[in-house]
């Protein structure tokens, strides 16, 4: 019987044939925590007397959510991660090196791997043809120590995309649109396998955006077959040897098949306070915005910054709209500097925020005031997300965000 | 597992981990008793001070969606809530709750009103609404999760066996 990508990968890691619905104990390749979840992971590991890493070179601790630290409690949490990394020989990704998911994709995860991370958007690395899923501190702590985790093999929804995206429309619009259709719990426990001509023709950046947001439909992971684009990406990261071809069998069994025509998609926006509360950007031009954030693990890649720069070049942000931009990793930051994008942003009136989570998680660097409205390229607009339950968060693509920053209200970027 | 009785507090659909353990209180994540004083604050402002030990949360669909922060179920448990009833739960929250030993009860919460007295009988898979007299069946948990819950969570399980002994 044919297998989905998830069934193939989980089967390999549990030493037997598996099918959707099976429970297994699987070996894991990469385990990760960040500064919000890592300290609790370490506490849990101490409880069982297991301060150890089975595979230290594939165990990574990221200081990204509250970096640089805005207060002493968080500085102490950071200290704890540094000490653990030293003690166990694990990898520490310091302040300024970038958001965990971007760093994991850049340097850690390979096609065919299983990655577990104590962060819900761990599913992003599925774009490399890996099985990547978010878990809590306890699961990941045990995973770091023993090199395994218990898993239920998920059923898969096949998301088949055909057609070409219009001008300034892309995979962020696609995924917001899909979540709007199926709902924030429309794929709970499922794997979303993205495929079709459009996906084949997209770059890795666009694929990461898709898989990143799978969890916003409740999914366990987003996943994409590895191909020449994956290979090129790994080669660019000097990891060509990590490439492996992974794809679903043509007779794999899917719980559901959803077809999407990319050419029909319009710039899409999620309105407060849920990601599935979507509408077209063009319908929101009465919404004034006080802050725009371009960045996060969802849309802080060089390709995203290039789109934003193409719109912001020789323009200024609206007087009443603050503009915050954060490259998702140090390497992206360097590239943006070399390409002159940062200069374009600063001249347009933007503040550049340290590579990392920035304002996305509401700890520092861009907390909203009461009743203030933010348009962000991040993945979540929950009440209180950006540090204030009285703030209002809209989500969009980098193109929509950049264009809206100039006008001061939410605007459709297809006609520029 | 014993039968538990308590008062139900109603919540709506899509209660996220940001409602339960807000990001702006990130610095309290290393001080869980303090964080517990803010449990569910962004969904119901004074919940932590008004609820009593042994009470239940009764919510709509997709409870616990959002981040992987295990702090969310942990502070619900720390605050003394006996269990969370909901029409459905988000995946990571579900796993985390079982791992830390917080009972989750998937059932039709439309049959529970604010402040109803309820009795949760996990062994027989039934919620008895004492106030209305209605009995509500509970969707069974997978075996693997029952094992973890019965042993008091994943840490206790590993303490006891030194490895996974779940299948
Ligand atoms: S950028 Fe936002 S969504 Fe991504 S890992 Fe950081 S806090 Fe989470």
């Amino acid at each position: 019987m044919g297998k989905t990508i998830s069934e193939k990968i989980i089967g390999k890691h549990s030493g037997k044939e598996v099918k959707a619905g099976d429970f297994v104990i699987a070996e894991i390749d990469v385990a990760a925590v960040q500064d919000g979840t890592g300290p609790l992971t370490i506490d849990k590991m101490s409880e069982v007397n297991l301060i150890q890493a089975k595979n230290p070179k594939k165990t990574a601790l990221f200081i990204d959510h509250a970096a640089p630290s805005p207060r002493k409690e968080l500085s102490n949490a950071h200290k704890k991660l540094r000490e653990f990394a030293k003690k166990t020989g694990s990898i520490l990704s310091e302040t300024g090196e970038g958001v965990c998911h971007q760093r994991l994709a850049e340097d850690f995860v390979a096609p065919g791997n299983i990655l577990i991370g104590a962060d819900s958007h761990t599913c992003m690395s599925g774009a490399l043809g890996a099985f990547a899923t978010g878990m809590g501190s306890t699961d990941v702590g045990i995973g770091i120590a023993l090199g395994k985790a218990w898993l239920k093999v998920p059923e898969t929804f096949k998301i088949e995309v055909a057609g070409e995206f219009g001008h300034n429309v892309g995979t962020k619009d696609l995924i917001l649109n899909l979540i709007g259709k199926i709902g924030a719990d429309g794929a709970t426990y499922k794997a979303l396998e993205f495929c079709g001509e459009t996906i084949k023709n997209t770059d890795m950046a666009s694929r990461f955006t898709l898989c990143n947001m799978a969890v916003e439909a409740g999914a366990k992971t987003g996943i994409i077959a590895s191909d020449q684009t994956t290979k090129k990406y790994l080669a660019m990261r000097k990891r060509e040897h990590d490439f492996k071809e992974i794809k679903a069998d043509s007779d794999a069994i899917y719980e559901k098949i959803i077809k999407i025509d990319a050419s029909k998609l319009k710039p899409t926006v999620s309105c407060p306070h849920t990601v599935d509360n979507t509408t077209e950007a063009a319908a929101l031009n009465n919404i004034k915005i006080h802050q725009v954030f371009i960045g996060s693990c969802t849309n802080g890649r060089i390709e995203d910054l290039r789109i934003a720069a193409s719109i912001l070049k020789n323009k200024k942000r609206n007087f009443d709209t603050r503009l915050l931009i954060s490259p998702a990793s140090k390497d992206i930051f360097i590239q943006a500097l070399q390409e002159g994008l940062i200069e374009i942003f600063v001249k347009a009136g933007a503040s550049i925020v340290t590579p990392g989570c920035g304002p996305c998680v509401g700890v520092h660097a861009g907390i909203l005031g009461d009743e203030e409205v933010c348009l962000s390229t991040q993945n979540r607009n929950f009440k209180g997300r950006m540090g204030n339950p009285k703030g209002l968060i809209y989500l969009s693509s980098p193109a929509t965000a950049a264009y809206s920053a100039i006008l001061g209200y939410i605007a459709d970027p297809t006609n520029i | 597992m014993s039968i538990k009785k308590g008062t139900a507090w109603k919540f709506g659909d899509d209660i996220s981990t940001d409602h339960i353990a807000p990001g702006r209180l990130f610095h309290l994540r290393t001080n869980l008793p303090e964080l517990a004083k803010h449990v569910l604050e962004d969904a119901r402002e004074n919940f932590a001070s008004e609820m009593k030990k042994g009470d239940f949360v009764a919510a709509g669909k997709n409870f616990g969606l959002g981040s992987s922060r295990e702090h969310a179920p942990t502070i619900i448990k720390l605050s003394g809530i006996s269990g969370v009833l909901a029409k459905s739960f988000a995946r990571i929250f579900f796993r985390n709750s079982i791992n830390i030993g917080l009972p989750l009860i998937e059932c039709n919460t439309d049959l529970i009103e604010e402040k109803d007295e309820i009795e949760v009988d996990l062994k027989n898979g039934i919620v008895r609404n004492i106030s209305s007299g209605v009995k509500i069946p509970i969707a069974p948990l997978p075996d693997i999760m029952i094992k973890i819950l019965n042993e008091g969570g994943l840490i206790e399980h590993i303490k006891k066996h030194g490895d996974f002994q779940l299948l």
Side-chain angles (χ1 to χ4, degrees):
Chain A
M1 209 172 24
K3 300 214 171 301
T4 63
I5 304 178
S6 303
E7 288 168 333
K8 283 188 181 181
I9 297 176
I10 296 175
K12 254 227 158 93
H13 286 74
S14 52
K16 58 179 182 200
E17 290 272 304
V18 302
K19 57 175 187 331
D22 289 351
F23 286 88
V24 301
I25 308 291
E27 305 272 331
I28 55 170
D29 301 292
V30 186
V33 299
Q34 34 91 339
D35 47 351
T37 56
L40 185 56
T41 301
I42 296 168
D43 290 347
K44 294 285 178 173
M45 294 173 81
S46 319
E47 267 185 54
V48 260
N49 253 328
L50 284 173
I51 296 291
Q52 62 188 50
K54 175 91 201 261
N55 193 354
K57 292 292 160 253
K58 292 281 183 180
T59 299
L61 300 99
F62 295 92
I63 297 183
D64 58 353
H65 278 61
S69 167
R71 47 192 306 162
K72 66 178 189 302
E73 294 88 344
L74 296 168
S75 309
N76 289 333
H78 291 169
K79 266 177 75 178
K80 192 164 173 165
L81 297 195
R82 290 187 193 103
E83 280 159 20
F84 178 89
K86 279 217 176 97
K87 217 182 274 172
T88 58
S90 319
I91 311 283
L92 184 92
S93 181
E94 256 302 343
T95 305
E97 288 186 42
V99 187
C100 52
H101 308 301
Q102 179 61 27
R103 296 286 303 111
L104 282 163
E106 285 175 348
D107 289 342
F108 293 89
V109 183
N113 278 178
I114 291 185
L115 156 68
I116 62 169
D119 190 283
S120 57
H121 297 100
T122 302
C123 50
M124 187 184 104
S125 284
L128 290 162
F131 186 84
T133 191
M135 293 183 181
S137 295
T138 298
D139 273 317
V140 177
I142 301 299
I144 290 173
L146 303 179
K148 42 190 161 179
W150 73 265
L151 286 174
K152 182 181 171 201
V153 184
E155 293 83 18
T156 298
F157 287 1
K158 185 181 190 178
I159 316 292
E160 248 179 41
V161 193
E164 251 180 70
F165 288 113
H167 175 59
N168 280 335
V169 181
T171 50
K172 181 62 167 286
D173 303 296
L174 193 169
I175 191 70
L176 293 181
N177 194 279
L178 176 69
I179 295 164
K181 276 206 188 100
I182 67 175
D185 61 350
T188 298
Y189 235 109
K190 314 298 175 191
L192 298 181
E193 208 176 289
F194 299 96
C195 60
E197 272 315 299
T198 317
I199 306 300
K200 269 199 200 117
N201 295 334
T202 57
D203 53 20
M204 283 310 300
S206 307
R207 295 182 187 183
F208 286 134
T209 302
L210 274 183
C211 290
N212 179 285
M213 292 199 66
V215 66
E216 303 309 329
K220 185 163 181 162
T221 190
I223 203 159
I224 295 175
S226 61
D227 61 7
Q228 289 308 307
T229 304
T230 325
K231 193 173 181 178
K232 259 191 240 146
Y233 177 80
L234 291 170
M236 191 192 72
R237 296 301 310 170
K238 303 204 169 45
R239 292 204 289 137
E240 204 171 67
H241 56 276
D242 275 345
F243 180 73
K244 195 158 108 188
E245 200 183 13
I246 297 275
K247 59 175 185 202
D249 292 328
S250 54
D251 56 344
I253 295 173
Y254 295 98
E255 184 172 317
K256 206 188 250 184
I257 297 177
I258 299 175
K259 295 192 181 193
I260 298 174
D261 181 352
S263 69
K264 296 226 169 78
L265 293 172
K266 299 258 169 22
T268 304
V269 173
S270 296
C271 304
H273 291 290
T274 56
V275 184
D276 57 5
N277 186 13
T278 55
T279 185
E280 286 173 12
L284 295 171
N285 60 11
N286 56 341
I287 306 284
K288 278 194 157 247
I289 42 184
H290 306 95
Q291 176 167 299
V292 167
F293 173 48
I294 300 174
S296 85
C297 55
T298 324
N299 279 119
R301 280 170 277 281
I302 192 71
E303 294 81 353
D304 300 313
L305 300 184
R306 283 183 194 134
I307 292 170
S310 74
I311 295 168
L312 288 163
K313 192 166 186 181
N314 300 323
K315 298 268 179 359
K316 289 245 175 319
R317 67 172 172 85
N318 183 278
F319 180 78
D320 293 322
T321 309
R322 313 180 286 275
L323 174 58
L324 308 175
I325 299 182
S326 173
S329 75
K330 183 183 78 183
D331 286 1
I332 295 170
F333 193 11
I334 293 171
Q335 201 171 343
L337 280 164
Q338 286 167 348
E339 293 183 16
L341 310 184
I342 300 294
E343 188 174 338
I344 292 173
F345 295 147
V346 176
K347 282 186 175 157
S351 304
I352 308 300
V353 179
T354 311
C357 298
C360 175
V361 72
V363 186
H364 64 163
I367 291 169
L368 299 179
D370 294 352
E371 283 85 47
E372 279 196 330
V373 175
C374 179
L375 179 64
S376 171
T377 65
Q378 70 199 51
N379 43 32
R380 234 169 229 167
N381 60 348
F382 301 158
K383 192 176 170 196
R385 178 73 186 179
M386 294 180 98
N388 185 346
K390 292 188 177 139
L392 297 157
I393 308 165
Y394 291 76
L395 308 176
S396 78
S397 71
T400 304
Y403 190 45
S404 304
I406 298 168
L407 297 179
Y409 54 85
I410 296 178
D412 179 331
T414 45
N415 301 321
I416 39 174
Chain B
M1 214 158 298
S2 58
I3 297 173
K4 287 183 179 148
K5 231 190 236 182
T7 306
W9 294 76
K10 285 284 276 187
F11 288 83
D13 292 337
D14 296 317
I15 298 295
S16 77
T17 53
D18 277 282
H19 286 107
I20 304 168
R24 68 181 145 45
L25 302 171
F26 209 84
H27 59 286
L28 293 180
R29 288 194 189 179
T30 43
N31 185 353
L32 292 170
E34 205 44 48
L35 189 60
K37 292 184 187 158
H38 300 273
V39 67
L40 280 157
E41 186 171 276
D42 283 356
R44 261 180 105 134
E45 220 170 316
N46 299 316
F47 180 67
S49 53
E50 287 171 5
M51 60 144 292
K52 291 196 184 51
K53 270 199 177 3
D55 287 353
F56 288 92
V57 165
K61 70 176 176 63
N62 208 18
F63 187 88
L65 79 156
S67 93
S68 69
R69 64 191 75 149
E70 199 169 294
H71 314 73
T74 304
I75 61 170
I76 294 178
K77 192 176 174 203
L78 265 183
S79 69
I81 289 288
S82 287
V84 181
L85 300 88
K87 287 185 198 162
S88 64
F89 294 95
R91 187 192 72 85
I92 305 179
F93 181 86
F94 197 91
R95 234 188 127 104
N96 285 346
S97 301
I98 303 301
N99 277 343
I100 61 142
L102 171 71
L104 297 187
I105 299 114
E106 196 179 305
C107 65
N108 182 4
T109 48
D110 284 344
L111 301 174
I112 299 169
E113 300 292 329
E114 172 81 358
K115 299 284 152 57
D116 275 355
E117 283 302 308
I118 59 169
E119 186 180 82
V120 174
D121 179 351
L122 277 179
K123 195 160 166 244
N124 294 305
I126 200 95
V127 176
R128 295 181 196 92
N129 187 333
I130 299 166
S131 304
S132 70
V134 173
K135 281 186 189 166
I136 313 163
I138 301 174
L141 287 176
D143 287 349
I144 206 166
M145 288 189 145
I146 293 176
K147 261 190 205 162
I148 296 172
L149 201 53
N150 282 345
E151 289 190 340
L154 189 64
I155 290 297
E156 294 305 318
H157 174 82
I158 298 289
K159 254 192 212 163
K160 189 161 153 199
H161 305 281
D163 202 343
F164 287 99
Q165 290 290 335
L166 289 168
L167 295 178

